[in-house]
Amino acid sequence: TLPLGYCRKTVMAVPHLQQPSFLLASLKADCMNKPFAQRCHDLEIVIEDFPAKELHAIFPWLVENIFGSLDGIIIGWNLRCLHGRANPTEYAIALDFLDPSGPMMKLVYKLQAEEYRYEFPVSYLPGPVKASMQERVLPECSLYHNKVQFPPSGGLGSNLALNPFEYYMFYFAISLITQRNSPTTHHISPSNSAYFSLVDTYLKWFLPTEGSVLPPPSSNPGVGIPSPVPRSPAVPFTSYGIHHTSLLKRHIAHQPSVNADPASQEIWRSETVLKVFVEMWLHHYSLEMYQKMQSPHVKLEVLHYRLSISSTHHSSPAQSGYQALHAYQESFKPTEEHVLVIRLLVKHLHAFANSLKPEPLSPSAHSHTASPLEEFKRVVIPRFVQQKLYIFLQHCFGHWPLDASFRAVLEMWLSYLQPWRYAPEKPLQSAELQPRSVSEKWAPFIQENLLMYTKLFVGFLNRALRTDLVSAKNALMVFRVAKVFAQPNLAEMIQKGEQLFLEPELVIPHRQHRIFMTPTLGGNFLSSWPPTITDASFKVKSHVYCLEGQESQYKQMFGPEVRNLVLRLAQLIGQAQQTAKSISDHSAETMASQSFLSWFRFSPSDMNGSYTGNDLDEIGQDSIKKTDEYLEKAQEYLCQIFRLNEAQLTQMIMNCGAAQDENGKKKLPDCIESEDGLILTPLGRYQSIINGLRRFEIEYQGDTDLQPIRSYENATLVRLLFQLSSGINQRFADQMEILCSREDFIGRLCRYHLTNPFFVEKSRHSPALKQRSGCSRRPRISLRFLASYRTLLSLFMIYFIASWFCIGPLACTFIILLGYFLYAIVMTFFTERWKPHQH
């Protein structure tokens, strides 16, 4: 294979019809033979030297080679796993090549000028979009309008005809989903990957917070890159609402000269980037939500379409669309990296929207002087992001595992709730120690995003009530949410928004025919609402009814039902604090009891002990202190938000924490006695399994000789001593039973050593099965304690010390046996109630 540096001369000598295939074959061969840096350098030369006609043939292959195939088989450059620390050279080269002003984007703009089209399979789009198109219902996003192409024979093999810029962005955005199963580096944060850096770069380039969008690089100065031209639809579609028109089209309709504002020629790139990111990353929701979002006239059209299809075919694409969406919803599980990228998008969009210049005093001046980018900033969040982000968060709140990984979803949600954090104005340094009050200027945002605050807060409460708050990571999440909602003036503005929603709807003539509708479901991209719709109450109602439907039952965040949930959470916080304290005390006592003298015990102390393990044993005392601090501050914030009486709350927690028996131990979980032992009731499962509020004292109640071999025991000795003990017990069983039946001192001494501890009555602290009467109760001897490393080390030290005094092994063994015999006599003589000897 010839180097690509000579590729241009070689291709010129080949007939014209063979040039594209020869160039593509050379590039494919170089991917196998050349290093990464050399391949990128050669690609840059090819993009610079070759005309668009030859580059057109290699563009789809190159995009797939970079971002991977849609089915996930081809990994490509694996940008998600390319980190600057691990591979600094390849990381820098990849970022330079894919930069908005780099070689790859120059290729995109060169092809864009020739108006080439590339096919993108509909089957790889997000589930709701795919199901919608299979039902011949066009999604509300204008990104898909006039682009769907169906095969002549019908069926499901439809494609989107995309221009080069759209094709590139589609592949870039969807690679986050299709390549999620590729091997990753777990010890490196996803936010340090090349993919994450590129997302940040594209957002800053195409959605700038300062200045305007930079024009694309052009090989021919003075020749602009044309914006996409509308194409005639291939198949008639039903739509969620009136088709959107792009921001550019509306701006041209109102401007006498397009060339006067360069941003008006390129604002379509910003619009396309945002639409692609939102559609690929956020357009994921359940079948029920998909059906609920359809307007009544769309449902009638879908029903009519199904009936017309079912009259001629046994199965319809509509049915397969619903089936595909249901299967997709079951399989789709957002990853932590996916959520982190969405959080980056949310944070940048807040900064982008907050960089909007102040509105001019004259409304007429505003309509003629506002640039397309300024208009875009004004509507970017409510028009593009709000609805799909809300549905995506609902999915995460309902399906994410109950573990600490939910922190990524939580922080993304909290970032959206606090646009003031990304506003240009900064708090004074003297006021940084105190929480900054939320300004009244954010009241419209809070009211128009009311469900983001209220319903998702209720969803978080339901999650928190089912998590182990003793864990420091879970306690931190409760603390974070409580701290955000406790910001001064925020709770009052949320409550005001609820009051506006609950206001009775006034019967006004010009509203009688109006249907509550979100801006994303109808009208032109920048078409303003009618001037009569200005009151805050109607805006809040429109927001709620759009996202939840007009038949939904709204649950007030400051109503009695949610207040009871908060009280339950406060109660669990208090119980978790007590549990953490008891675990801390128990851990301290355990560490104190494991002194050096414990090595000289002849029997392991935990052979019949209860298991008291907890996650906090692994993370240490510092984590317990953090848990207590987080929970204490969270409880304080909850009292501020919901105006709880701290005295009554403290008394309620004390009453709950007083659930102790006369021995000072916590009560067992709620359970009932049955023939098979203790059975947990639903309340008991809630107490022990779900929240860990109460627990059984788990004890081993079987034969101690048949326990699993412990880590402090020698496995070979355990087996040998068991065989020896079994032989002795079989051989002398009758003699041992006769000795134990005697009522004199000899009988008591034998019972102290030989009574079977397996059948002694014990208090039942765990839901174990009752003892069966068919088991043997004969006395026996157990030598398993000699297999303990602790016992062996103690004996070795005794023999070693005895050698200093010139005492031989036999004499030392006789002294040990004699001393233990005297100890047993004393214990037998002074013990009032004879207890079994436990090894």
Side-chain angles (χ1 to χ4, degrees):
T1 303
L2 294 176
L4 281 177
Y6 302 94
C7 199
R8 184 169 181 246
K9 296 180 180 179
T10 306
V11 171
M12 295 300 294
V14 180
H16 178 72
L17 296 177
Q18 298 180 4
Q19 289 181 5
S21 60
F22 180 83
L23 179 60
L24 181 60
S26 299
L27 292 175
K28 289 182 178 180
D30 289 338
C31 286
M32 304 296 296
N33 302 323
K34 291 187 177 182
F36 181 76
Q38 184 64 37
R39 296 202 312 265
C40 291
H41 177 70
D42 292 343
L43 283 171
E44 185 174 357
I45 295 176
V46 169
I47 293 171
E48 189 69 28
D49 292 349
F50 279 81
K53 190 172 184 179
E54 282 76 18
L55 297 175
H56 165 61
I58 70 169
F59 180 66
W61 168 84
L62 182 57
V63 171
E64 186 177 82
N65 184 60
I66 294 174
F67 301 122
S69 59
L70 296 175
D71 54 12
I73 297 177
I74 301 176
I75 300 179
W77 290 4
N78 202 6
L79 298 173
R80 294 171 52 252
C81 304
L82 185 59
H83 296 85
R85 295 181 180 178
N87 303 288
T89 303
E90 294 183 0
Y91 177 85
I93 293 174
L95 291 185
D96 291 340
F97 189 82
L98 301 176
D99 189 78
S101 59
M104 189 62 189
M105 202 59 71
K106 290 181 181 178
L107 171 61
V108 170
Y109 294 135
K110 184 180 288 189
L111 298 174
Q112 186 79 28
E114 301 295 333
E115 300 185 3
Y116 286 111
R117 298 288 168 175
Y118 301 91
E119 293 185 350
F120 188 94
V122 170
S123 58
Y124 289 104
L125 293 175
V129 179
K130 179 172 60 178
S132 173
M133 290 184 178
Q134 289 175 357
E135 290 184 353
R136 305 301 194 270
V137 178
L138 190 64
E140 76 278 3
C141 180
S142 61
L143 194 64
Y144 308 108
H145 293 178
N146 303 325
K147 294 184 177 67
V148 184
Q149 295 180 337
F150 285 92
S153 60
L156 304 179
S158 55
N159 298 297
L160 295 178
L162 305 176
N163 62 52
F165 186 80
E166 293 170 339
Y167 187 81
Y168 175 83
M169 285 299 169
F170 263 71
Y171 258 88
F172 172 75
I174 207 169
S175 64
L176 180 66
I177 311 297
T178 58
Q179 301 294 321
R180 62 180 178 178
N181 295 325
S182 59
T184 58
T185 307
H186 296 285
H187 63 278
I188 299 180
S189 173
S191 59
N192 296 326
S193 67
Y195 187 88
F196 196 89
S197 299
L198 279 175
V199 172
D200 185 47
T201 302
Y202 289 158
L203 289 174
K204 292 178 179 177
W205 183 276
F206 295 108
L207 302 171
T209 56
E210 297 181 0
S212 59
V213 183
L214 296 177
S218 176
S219 56
N220 298 325
V223 179
I225 305 298
S227 60
V229 179
R231 307 175 74 244
S232 59
V235 176
F237 269 88
T238 306
S239 176
Y240 285 110
I242 303 174
H243 288 195
H244 296 285
T245 57
S246 68
L247 177 60
L248 174 61
K249 298 172 189 174
R250 180 186 181 274
H251 188 76
I252 291 177
H254 290 82
Q255 292 288 340
S257 175
V258 180
N259 297 328
D261 188 358
S264 63
Q265 297 183 7
E266 303 305 329
I267 195 64
W268 64 267
R269 292 183 299 155
S270 303
E271 182 181 342
T272 300
V273 168
L274 180 59
K275 286 179 179 178
V276 171
F277 286 177
V278 170
E279 286 295 308
M280 297 300 108
W281 298 340
L282 293 177
H283 206 157
H284 309 280
Y285 42 78
S286 64
L287 178 63
E288 293 76 15
M289 184 63 68
Y290 167 72
Q291 296 171 343
K292 184 172 67 174
M293 288 176 61
Q294 293 179 344
S295 59
H297 75 277
V298 173
K299 294 180 181 179
L300 291 176
E301 292 287 345
V302 172
L303 180 60
H304 175 74
Y305 173 75
R306 289 178 182 173
L307 293 175
S308 63
I309 293 294
S310 61
S311 62
T312 57
H313 301 281
H314 295 287
S315 62
S316 67
Q319 294 176 351
S320 62
Y322 275 102
Q323 294 172 359
L325 177 57
H326 182 73
Y328 173 83
Q329 178 63 21
E330 293 296 326
S331 62
F332 177 73
K333 297 178 181 178
T335 61
E336 185 175 354
E337 181 184 14
H338 185 176
V339 175
L340 289 175
V341 172
I342 295 176
R343 187 190 180 203
L344 176 65
L345 173 65
V346 168
K347 292 166 65 175
H348 184 82
L349 288 181
H350 275 318
F352 178 69
N354 290 332
S355 64
L356 180 66
K357 297 178 181 179
E359 295 185 6
L361 298 178
S362 173
S364 60
H366 166 72
S367 61
H368 293 285
T369 60
S371 66
L373 191 62
E374 294 297 310
E375 295 285 358
F376 190 38
K377 292 178 181 179
R378 193 182 311 279
V379 298
V380 62
I381 291 180
R383 192 67 62 90
F384 289 104
V385 180
Q386 183 194 76
Q387 185 185 54
K388 291 184 175 64
L389 180 62
Y390 171 73
I391 298 170
F392 182 84
L393 284 171
Q394 270 195 317
H395 175 82
C396 292
F397 274 59
H399 296 80
W400 201 278
L402 291 172
D403 56 20
S405 64
F406 186 73
R407 174 77 185 279
V409 180
L410 187 76
E411 294 298 336
M412 185 256 288
W413 172 50
L414 296 180
S415 295
Y416 183 83
L417 298 185
Q418 303 177 85
W420 46 88
R421 291 183 55 189
Y422 312 101
E425 62 270 10
K426 299 295 182 182
L428 299 177
Q429 294 183 356
S430 59
E432 289 182 354
L433 299 178
Q434 298 295 332
R436 182 172 50 155
S437 176
V438 180
S439 173
E440 287 292 337
K441 68 179 256 186
W442 300 108
F445 178 87
I446 295 171
Q447 295 167 5
E448 295 171 11
N449 292 270
L450 185 63
L451 290 177
M452 286 284 194
Y453 291 89
T454 58
K455 186 168 183 178
L456 292 183
F457 179 81
V458 176
F460 175 76
L461 284 180
N462 291 325
R463 286 186 60 93
L465 291 172
R466 293 178 291 156
T467 55
D468 179 17
L469 298 183
V470 182
S471 171
K473 295 180 180 179
N474 293 334
L476 175 60
M477 288 191 285
V478 177
F479 162 75
R480 288 283 297 123
V481 174
K483 181 180 180 182
V484 168
F485 278 85
Q487 295 178 83
N489 204 31
L490 178 58
E492 289 76 6
M493 286 191 286
I494 297 175
Q495 195 168 10
K496 179 62 182 304
E498 289 191 324
Q499 293 173 357
L500 291 173
F501 173 74
L502 297 175
E503 286 183 1
E505 179 66 18
L506 299 177
V507 181
I508 302 177
H510 67 263
R511 285 192 188 175
Q512 291 179 355
H513 65 281
R514 188 174 292 118
I515 300 175
F516 287 104
M517 178 181 292
T518 181
T520 62
L521 301 184
N524 291 337
F525 177 75
L526 287 179
S527 58
S528 59
W529 286 90
T532 54
I533 308 177
T534 56
D535 58 290
S537 176
F538 187 78
K539 289 183 179 180
V540 176
K541 292 176 186 291
S542 177
H543 158 72
V544 175
Y545 291 148
C546 166
L547 297 184
E548 291 294 327
Q550 298 192 32
E551 298 178 357
S552 63
Q553 298 294 327
Y554 180 76
K555 185 182 296 184
Q556 299 182 52
M557 177 176 169
F558 294 93
E561 187 175 351
V562 177
R563 187 180 181 87
N564 290 334
L565 291 178
V566 175
L567 289 175
R568 282 179 54 192
L569 178 60
Q571 184 177 354
L572 291 181
I573 288 175
Q575 294 171 350
Q577 287 179 296
Q578 295 174 359
T579 303
K581 184 177 183 302
S582 62
I583 294 176
S584 177
D585 296 340
H586 174 78
S587 179
E589 293 175 0
T590 303
M591 293 298 296
S593 63
Q594 293 178 351
S595 60
F596 178 77
L597 295 178
S598 64
W599 285 87
F600 294 94
R601 296 179 183 175
F602 286 91
S603 60
S605 59
D606 57 343
M607 185 69 76
N608 283 325
S610 61
Y611 174 76
T612 58
N614 189 280
D615 292 339
L616 293 174
D617 296 335
E618 300 180 357
I619 49 185
Q621 296 291 325
D622 293 338
S623 180
I624 298 177
K625 293 180 181 179
K626 290 182 179 179
T627 299
D628 187 67
E629 293 175 1
Y630 292 148
L631 294 179
E632 183 177 358
K633 294 297 295 183
Q635 195 173 63
E636 178 182 339
Y637 289 140
L638 289 175
C639 291
Q640 295 177 11
I641 298 169
F642 294 92
R643 301 179 180 87
L644 302 178
N645 190 320
E646 295 189 13
Q648 295 179 357
L649 188 61
T650 304
Q651 183 63 34
M652 180 183 65
I653 295 174
M654 291 178 61
N655 294 337
C656 180
Q660 297 180 352
D661 57 13
E662 60 275 5
N663 296 326
K665 296 181 179 180
K666 288 196 172 182
K667 289 183 178 179
L668 301 179
D670 189 69
C671 51
I672 57 176
E673 183 78 19
S674 68
E675 295 181 356
D676 296 329
L678 299 178
I679 298 179
L680 287 172
T681 64
L683 176 60
R685 287 193 292 271
Y686 173 81
Q687 293 170 335
S688 60
I689 299 176
I690 300 179
N691 287 294
L693 305 178
R694 300 181 183 180
R695 56 174 57 91
F696 291 100
E697 296 180 8
I698 305 299
E699 294 182 356
Y700 182 81
Q701 298 181 350
D703 190 346
T704 56
D705 284 344
L706 299 180
Q707 292 185 82
I709 298 176
R710 307 300 181 90
S711 60
Y712 52 79
E713 293 178 322
N714 184 282
T716 303
L717 285 178
V718 169
R719 297 186 179 97
L720 292 177
L721 291 173
F722 175 74
Q723 295 177 0
L724 178 61
S725 300
S726 299
I728 294 175
N729 291 331
Q730 280 185 340
R731 177 67 178 82
F732 301 101
D734 296 335
Q735 291 83 344
M736 288 189 291
E737 188 170 359
I738 294 174
L739 288 174
C740 289
S741 62
R742 296 175 57 171
E743 297 297 332
D744 54 3
F745 183 81
I746 299 298
R748 286 183 287 178
L749 181 64
C750 292
R751 283 194 295 272
Y752 180 79
H753 287 85
L754 302 179
T755 301
N756 190 347
F758 180 49
F759 301 105
V760 177
E761 294 296 329
K762 296 182 180 180
S763 60
R764 189 176 298 276
H765 296 294
S766 62
L769 296 177
K770 291 187 174 182
Q771 304 294 342
R772 299 180 180 178
S773 59
C775 298
S776 174
R777 297 174 178 269
R778 306 186 70 177
R780 61 176 188 138
I781 190 171
S782 176
L783 301 176
R784 180 167 174 169
F785 71 96
L786 294 174
S788 171
Y789 290 118
R790 187 181 301 171
T791 303
L792 295 176
L793 180 59
S794 302
L795 292 175
F796 173 78
M797 294 182 66
I798 292 175
Y799 282 112
F800 180 75
I801 295 174
S803 64
W804 288 359
F805 298 95
C806 300
I807 301 177
L810 294 178
C812 183
T813 302
F814 176 77
I815 294 174
I816 292 174
L817 294 175
L818 179 62
Y820 182 75
F821 182 73
L822 295 176
Y823 168 79
I825 292 176
V826 173
M827 293 298 297
T828 303
F829 183 78
F830 285 102
T831 302
E832 296 181 357
R833 186 174 182 179
W834 311 118
K835 297 182 180 180
H837 179 63
Q838 298 181 8
H839 297 294

